[in-house]
Amino acid sequence: MSIRRTLLGLATALIAAPALAQAPAATPAPVPGWAVGRPEGSTLAPHAPRLTVTPLDQVPVGAIRLPPGFQAEVFAHGLPGGRTMAEGPNGTIFVGTRVIGRVYAITRNPDGTTRVRTVVQGVTQPNGVVMVGNSLYVFAINRVLRFDNIEANLDNVPAPVELTEAFGFPTAQEHGGNHDWKFTTLGPDGRIYTNVGVKCNICEFDRDRFALLVSFKPDGSDRRIEARGVRNSVGMAIHPVTRELWATNHGRDWAGNDWPNDVLLRVRRSGEDHGFPYCGGGTADPQYNAGRNCNEFLPPAALLGPHTAVLGMRFYTGTMFPEQYRNQAFIARRGSWNRERLSGFDVVVAKIDANGNVTGVEEFLTGFRDDANQKFADRPVDVHVMRDGSLLVSGEQTGTIYRITYRR
Amino acid sequence: MTLRSLVAAAALAAACVAPASAQDKVRGAALAQVCGVCHGAEGISRNREIPSLAGQQAGFITVQMILIREGIRNVPAMRPFAAGLADKDIEDLSAYFASLAPGFPPDIRPRDAAQADRGQALIGPRNCAVCHQASLHGRDQVPRITSQREDWLVHAMIGYRDGTRIGADPQMNGAVVGLSDFDIAALAHYLAHRE
């Protein structure tokens, strides 16, 4: 567009919308959703993603520290942006991503090594991956795609069945680009459980539409609200004994280095309110409490550290690890950005007793966070219990899937 | 410090070193010949709504090229060039363009002091320096936004504002939310003339 046409267009815009003609200084800048509450002068910003292949010799498996008897190895690498994991009936591990828009499939070669294929590409934030029978479901913001008989067609993936309308999630525009990616898991009741995050850092919103855990029948019908007032859960699992839904939840940003905690939630009855935005980590929000008593809401089952970015979680149902880990919750903490000193970048275990009370949270996989230099080597996003009892951990920063085993 | 923790610290330090040495700007220069046709032989674009790449952050170019290659960022003119490019090619190209000296395009519009002042007045309220640094030269995945083509800056900001462009995260969509065309023109004019 020439300058003259630019000016012409500008003049037209000014006539059409007189409000735009005000001097910029007089126009109050609308605050974008993610920046609500940000203090002036802060230079905290999200860490850069790495979307290119990290060569094997740069994968930081040697940095991993584990309790005695555990070992870490590289299960698969060369999956830039690899995050969430789901396993098919034939043992294929499907890996969802956000920015790079891919879903990967990891299969085993006859010699025990792994092979990585890209089976979905060019989809916006396909973070939700879940197997229902032989079908892979991919949840990409509001899009829902079902790839039938996927494991038999890894080299020639058929066109998916489009279920977007049936599920009816808010669009990226309705979310304002905030907290619109999904985590998905299949319940023992055959329902798909997922999240609808809040459309801001912190704000008021429709409590039946945002900041929810929800479940559906696999055809997208029969939506049920499992939990309200859940700011941004990107990890959940069903307890293997009690069948209760548990979920991780991110606290808000810009409220200081040590408040609020990210939390673990226990959902005992569908539809109850967990308190966002009025309370965070079980205590009153300094700006958005609105006079509410935090006892009105369900308290968190456990505090998981400020800004640690708690994500994928699984209950350990295998037999390879020592008995003390049975039915305990392994939780990936991707690591902080909205904090002056780094926190997280590890995997922790929440110890849960027979009554469903969390008795403690212990570090399990550490070594990625370099406190002295304030750097990190990788960012764990999800965990997955293999049939042999080993535990997979995804490292998004280097596009690696680590495998944790135990030997007496 | 125990031997075990010493070994762990050494392994972590090695793992945290940025793999910059792995990127080959000489190889990138050879690959970049075709890019120069539109983006300028020295990475300074003489073409309307085509960005200069000289002195751009390598991390930014890499992420954007991946997004274009994967079809996440829709740039039809770039699609044939990005298709099939290996990750290593993209990293080398990025290292090459990052190594070039940034500069103003020859067809730069004369500076309009009043418009530039209006643009400069928006830098603080819009928190541009939080991510782009006080110099506005960017860092890693965050681009240099100074000495860029004015028409390109307008095009990019309108794309973010109107939701036709997304980046690695929605930060820029949020940063320009609600800006009028008038504001965007002023910001672009200010940035285009800043070193």
Side-chain angles (χ1 to χ4, degrees):
Chain A
M1 190 184 276
S2 71
I3 293 159
R4 193 162 150 212
R5 278 167 59 206
T6 307
L7 291 175
L8 262 174
L10 187 58
T12 312
L14 294 180
I15 293 159
L20 300 183
Q22 293 170 13
T27 310
V31 180
W34 60 270
V36 171
R38 179 175 55 189
E40 207 174 317
S42 173
T43 55
L44 295 173
H47 304 296
R50 178 161 182 181
L51 301 184
T52 51
V53 168
T54 300
L56 185 56
D57 62 4
Q58 289 173 25
V59 169
V61 66
I64 292 177
R65 299 297 129 200
L66 295 159
F70 289 94
Q71 297 86 34
E73 64 183 23
V74 174
F75 178 70
H77 78 106
L79 307 84
R83 287 171 59 96
T84 44
M85 293 180 278
E87 184 171 350
N90 297 337
T92 308
I93 303 292
F94 294 97
V95 182
T97 65
R98 283 187 52 198
V99 179
I100 201 166
R102 293 175 172 178
V103 177
Y104 302 101
I106 308 171
T107 52
R108 293 255 202 190
N109 295 317
D111 66 356
T113 58
T114 52
R115 174 180 178 189
V116 179
R117 296 174 176 87
T118 300
V119 291
V120 178
Q121 208 162 3
V123 174
T124 304
Q125 304 212 37
N127 191 67
V129 287
V130 61
M131 289 298 301
V132 181
N134 292 320
S135 298
L136 171 70
Y137 280 65
V138 175
F139 287 64
I141 305 184
N142 64 315
R143 276 188 89 190
V144 183
L145 306 172
R146 192 186 76 209
F147 296 85
D148 293 330
N149 206 17
I150 180 87
E151 284 185 287
N153 295 290
L154 293 177
D155 287 317
N156 187 19
V157 177
V161 176
E162 179 95 33
L163 294 169
T164 302
E165 216 170 301
F167 280 82
F169 290 111
T171 62
Q173 287 70 32
E174 290 173 278
H175 274 276
N178 295 286
H179 308 135
D180 48 9
W181 52 98
K182 301 291 183 287
F183 183 94
T184 43
T185 193
L186 184 69
D189 54 2
R191 296 173 69 87
I192 295 173
Y193 290 76
T194 188
N195 56 293
V196 182
V198 75
K199 54 179 184 173
C200 56
N201 169 35
I202 187 159
C203 57
E204 292 281 357
F205 50 87
D206 180 343
R207 296 185 86 70
D208 291 328
R209 194 120 202 275
F210 293 100
L212 301 171
L213 300 178
V214 288
S215 68
F216 297 86
K217 287 183 179 168
D219 63 2
S221 68
D222 195 28
R223 174 182 184 266
R224 184 169 76 207
I225 293 178
E226 301 293 346
R228 290 187 171 80
V230 178
R231 180 179 175 275
N232 182 31
S233 170
V234 203
M236 63 201 78
I238 309 284
H239 192 285
V241 177
T242 67
R243 302 292 171 99
E244 288 173 341
L245 175 66
W246 291 64
T248 56
N249 186 26
H250 288 212
R252 64 166 290 193
D253 301 322
W254 309 120
N257 287 323
D258 297 316
W259 194 91
N261 266 259
D262 282 3
V263 297
L264 180 62
L265 301 177
R266 176 186 178 189
V267 179
R268 299 195 206 197
R269 286 166 295 274
S270 294
E272 292 186 310
D273 201 316
H274 295 256
F276 179 80
Y278 313 113
C279 301
T283 57
D285 188 279
Q287 288 128 15
Y288 278 77
N289 178 251
R292 304 291 290 268
N293 184 335
C294 293
N295 292 332
E296 291 175 49
F297 308 109
L298 292 185
L303 302 179
L304 297 173
H307 307 294
T308 50
V310 289
L311 287 163
M313 62 172 287
R314 298 287 192 286
F315 292 96
Y316 186 74
T317 49
T319 55
M320 179 191 281
F321 289 8
E323 179 61 29
Q324 68 196 78
Y325 290 102
R326 193 74 48 82
N327 299 335
Q328 307 298 301
F330 283 76
I331 302 166
R333 303 197 303 178
R334 182 170 177 256
S336 64
W337 67 268
N338 195 248
R339 191 171 194 271
E340 284 169 22
R341 288 190 65 79
L342 299 181
S343 60
F345 302 89
D346 54 17
V347 175
V348 297
V349 179
K351 303 281 193 168
I352 302 169
D353 69 16
N355 297 320
N357 295 315
V358 178
T359 56
V361 177
E362 293 175 3
E363 289 184 335
F364 179 75
L365 183 157
T366 59
F368 288 146
R369 192 182 70 234
D370 176 352
D371 285 328
N373 298 304
Q374 289 296 295
K375 288 183 173 177
F376 57 87
D378 214 335
R379 309 191 77 180
V381 168
D382 200 11
V383 292
H384 174 75
V385 182
M386 299 279 276
R387 286 167 211 177
D388 67 359
S390 60
L391 184 78
L392 299 183
V393 178
S394 62
E396 181 181 11
Q397 197 70 16
T398 67
T400 304
I401 307 296
Y402 303 94
R403 179 169 174 257
I404 312 300
T405 56
Y406 179 80
R407 275 198 303 272
R408 267 169 233 289
Chain B
M1 193 179 259
T2 64
L3 180 61
R4 192 172 157 209
S5 60
L6 199 65
V7 170
L12 182 57
C16 288
V17 171
S21 57
Q23 291 150 12
D24 184 344
K25 67 180 182 190
V26 177
R27 188 170 170 273
L31 289 165
Q33 288 193 355
V34 64
C35 313
V37 175
C38 296
H39 289 282
E42 305 81 33
I44 295 171
S45 167
R46 289 150 175 78
N47 291 311
R48 208 160 46 81
E49 293 193 357
I50 292 175
S52 293
L53 299 175
Q56 189 50 276
Q57 295 288 338
F60 172 75
I61 299 176
T62 298
V63 167
Q64 297 303 317
M65 283 296 289
I66 299 277
L67 294 180
I68 292 167
R69 185 189 68 188
E70 299 292 317
I72 302 293
R73 180 179 160 196
N74 184 25
V75 188
M78 279 296 295
R79 201 177 294 148
F81 300 103
L85 266 187
D87 287 4
K88 176 81 170 92
D89 295 344
I90 290 174
E91 288 175 336
D92 290 348
L93 277 168
S94 303
Y96 166 67
F97 283 114
S99 75
L100 300 178
F104 301 112
D107 59 338
I108 189 168
R109 181 161 72 89
R111 192 170 186 278
D112 173 334
Q115 191 182 24
D117 288 351
R118 281 198 303 274
Q120 186 173 13
L122 288 163
I123 299 286
R126 289 285 164 168
N127 293 294
C128 305
V130 171
C131 298
H132 293 278
Q133 310 269 54
S135 64
L136 303 177
H137 293 176
R139 58 176 167 188
D140 207 335
Q141 89 281 24
V142 180
R144 165 191 287 274
I145 50 176
T146 61
S147 55
Q148 182 54 274
R149 288 190 66 85
E150 184 172 341
D151 46 26
W152 170 254
L153 289 164
V154 168
H155 177 77
M157 282 188 278
I158 286 178
Y160 282 120
R161 183 194 64 187
D162 296 349
T164 55
R165 179 169 173 188
I166 51 163
D169 57 48
Q171 301 281 1
M172 264 309 289
N173 304 89
V176 296
V177 69
L179 280 180
S180 64
D181 288 358
F182 183 78
D183 294 335
I184 285 176
L187 265 172
H189 188 64
Y190 170 70
L191 293 169
H193 280 274
R194 180 164 160 175
E195 280 191 357

